[in-house]
Amino acid sequence: MSRQAKYIEIKNCNKCKQNINFRKFRKVNPLRKGPNKGKKVGWTDINGKTRFSICKTCENTGFMNRYRKNPYHQLFHNFKKRASFAKVPFELSKENLIKIFDNGGDTCPVFGFKYIKGADKNNRDYAPSLDRIDPKKGYTKENTIVVSMLANRIKTDATIDQIGKVYQFYKILLKRNLNL
Ligand SMILES: [Zn+2]
């Protein structure tokens, strides 16, 4: 029986069926969890590295389509990761998340402007974002609301009392400067 060529330079993408240079395929490691743990995935490139069987372009297209179809799936995992990083509880289901964003309406409750959905890096401040009212209490139904990125960014991890002090300080400082 003839064996498949071991080291491949040009690979046929399993998705778009085009012959593509090996560098256009993402490198993968053997699965570290799940039922196929330790099992080799993908194929071996000319340098002996394992790569995914779908090209990067097809992978990105697939990712974008899935995001468009269900952005909450991605958001859910992002917030979960953020919670674990901040070492705070995460008690929201995907359904909770959808409901929180739906209830958030289309204007920022702090500044009153209309959200820009699908905002890019030039108008990110106008995008809706999830805020932990008390940062330490984490992502629970009671502790999570939607505000603009701008409000969220200003608040970050500060308490309302601390924000008040910042406000008072600059209010007095600016007033004094203007009176000079
Ligand atoms: Zn492809």
Side-chain angles (χ1 to χ4, degrees):
M1 224 171 89
S2 73
R3 276 185 60 184
Q4 205 189 338
K6 209 175 169 204
Y7 298 112
I8 305 171
E9 186 166 9
I10 303 294
K11 165 89 170 105
N12 190 267
C13 169
N14 280 9
K15 191 100 186 181
C16 63
K17 306 291 177 200
Q18 295 193 58
N19 290 325
I20 300 168
N21 184 279
F22 72 96
R23 285 190 190 87
K24 299 275 159 65
F25 293 84
R26 180 168 59 89
K27 276 189 235 166
V28 284
N29 294 318
L31 297 171
R32 263 177 289 176
K33 52 186 180 183
N36 293 324
K37 187 181 160 185
K39 209 170 157 185
K40 193 176 166 295
V41 287
W43 51 281
T44 309
D45 74 16
I46 194 165
N47 298 324
K49 294 267 189 304
T50 306
R51 290 181 188 262
F52 203 51
S53 47
I54 292 168
C55 77
K56 286 178 188 168
T57 311
C58 286
E59 269 203 280
N60 286 340
T61 311
F63 176 79
M64 264 150 58
N65 286 343
R66 283 196 298 278
Y67 181 77
R68 236 171 257 144
K69 227 162 136 189
N70 186 5
Y72 293 104
H73 180 78
Q74 192 57 41
L75 285 174
F76 177 79
H77 289 286
N78 287 353
F79 287 120
K80 209 171 163 178
K81 210 183 268 176
R82 203 174 296 177
S84 117
F85 188 73
K87 294 192 171 64
V88 293
F90 184 88
E91 292 167 11
L92 300 175
S93 65
K94 276 181 208 163
E95 289 69 32
N96 295 151
L97 199 63
I98 293 171
K99 213 166 170 189
I100 290 166
F101 272 101
D102 278 352
N103 291 344
D106 57 5
T107 52
C108 171
V110 182
F111 294 112
F113 55 66
K114 230 175 153 78
Y115 293 130
I116 298 176
K117 303 229 164 142
D120 58 23
K121 64 175 191 293
N122 297 313
N123 49 19
R124 195 177 283 159
D125 277 346
Y126 295 90
S129 71
L130 212 54
D131 177 49
R132 288 171 272 152
I133 299 168
D134 178 345
K136 288 189 208 83
K137 284 185 183 155
Y139 295 94
T140 66
K141 275 190 272 182
E142 296 73 26
N143 194 45
T144 314
I145 52 160
V146 178
V147 296
S148 65
M149 204 64 135
L150 179 62
N152 210 338
R153 198 160 58 77
I154 291 168
K155 181 169 165 276
T156 53
D157 284 340
T159 63
I160 296 309
D161 198 44
Q162 289 166 337
I163 292 170
K165 282 182 176 151
V166 172
Y167 171 74
Q168 285 304 332
F169 174 80
Y170 284 102
K171 199 176 141 187
I172 292 163
L173 183 81
L174 289 171
K175 213 172 178 179
R176 201 185 293 154
N177 286 353
L178 287 173
N179 288 341
L180 276 173

